[in-house]
């Protein structure tokens, strides 16, 4: 590996029942050779069925969260090994909605990421500042602390992907200025290199927050942006396919 892998990852969040799988079939038909890695993270209820479809094409599937322990009395939770058993190769850890809705701390996210690695999954570790933090000028301090606290020492370019998602850009249609994205991604790359050396230079760094087909090419032209983590626009094959195509060409 001589450069970070280009990855278009979709997070369906709490959306989708069986009929939504037609979108996955359509995506694979249109993008048989996408020119980047495609990953979709459906709700856990669809994981196994989506994995069955993904097997026939250039798509990987992932969970949206996992528990830090491998089994036990944790009603409603899913372990990384269970995701792997259902056909997942990836899992998102530390998404801002988990951090907000479930009070997950950097320490929790690090433990979940370690559990993902132990189960052989690639963790997509999410970090990002709130609007208050950006307005206060503390963005780089916040993402540095989250990166340091959420990413375990065992992270490599093979088992870990970092997603920078400004909380205020998620689901809002608001996207940072291109130079704001570049500033954070350059900063994160430098931090990863200083902590992990060559492994840090090769870890994929995704941008997330209101990525659409219309703004994807501009975002992917930024040095140190190696792809996207996409929410709303990952639900429809036409939209996600547009983002995949832009990444493939970047
Ligand atoms: P969005 O979500 O693309 O709908 O803004 C991004 C995310 O939460 O990963």
């Amino acid at each position: 590996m001589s450069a970070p892998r280009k990855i278009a990852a979709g997070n369906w969040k709490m959306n989708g029942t069986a009929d939504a799988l037609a979108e996955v079939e359509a995506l694979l038909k249109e993008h048989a050779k996408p020119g980047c890695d495609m990953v979709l993270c459906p709700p856990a209820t669809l994981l196994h069925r989506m994995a069955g479809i993904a097997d026939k094409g250039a798509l990987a599937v992932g969970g949206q969260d996992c528990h830090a322990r491998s089994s036990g009395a944790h009603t409603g939770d899913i372990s990384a090994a269970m995701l792997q058993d259902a056909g997942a190769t990836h899992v998102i850890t530390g998404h801002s909605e988990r951090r907000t809705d479930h009070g997950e701390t950097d320490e929790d996210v690090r433990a979940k990421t370690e559990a993902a690695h132990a189960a052989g999954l690639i963790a997509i570790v999410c970090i990002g500042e709130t609007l208050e933090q950006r307005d206060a000028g503390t963005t780089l301090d916040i993402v540095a602390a989250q990166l340091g606290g959420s990413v375990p020492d065992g992270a490599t370019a093979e088992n870990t992907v970092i997603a920078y998602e400004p909380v205020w850009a998620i689901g809002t249609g608001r996207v940072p200025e291109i130079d704001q994205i570049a500033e954070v991604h350059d900063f994160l790359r430098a931090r990863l290199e200083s902590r992990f050396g060559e492994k840090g230079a090769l870890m994929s760094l995704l941008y997330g927050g209101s990525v659409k087909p219309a703004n994807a090419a501009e975002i992917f032209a930024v040095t140190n942006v190696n792809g996207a983590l996409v929410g709303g626009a990952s639900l429809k094959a036409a939209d996600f396919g547009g983002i995949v195509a832009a990444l493939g060409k970047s």
Side-chain angles (χ1 to χ4, degrees), residues 11 13 95 97 165 169-172 208-212 229-233:
N11 172 10
K13 309 190 180 184
H95 189 279
E97 287 150 19
E165 301 201 298
I170 295 175
T172 60
S210 297
V211 178
K212 311 281 177 222
L229 180 56
V230 184

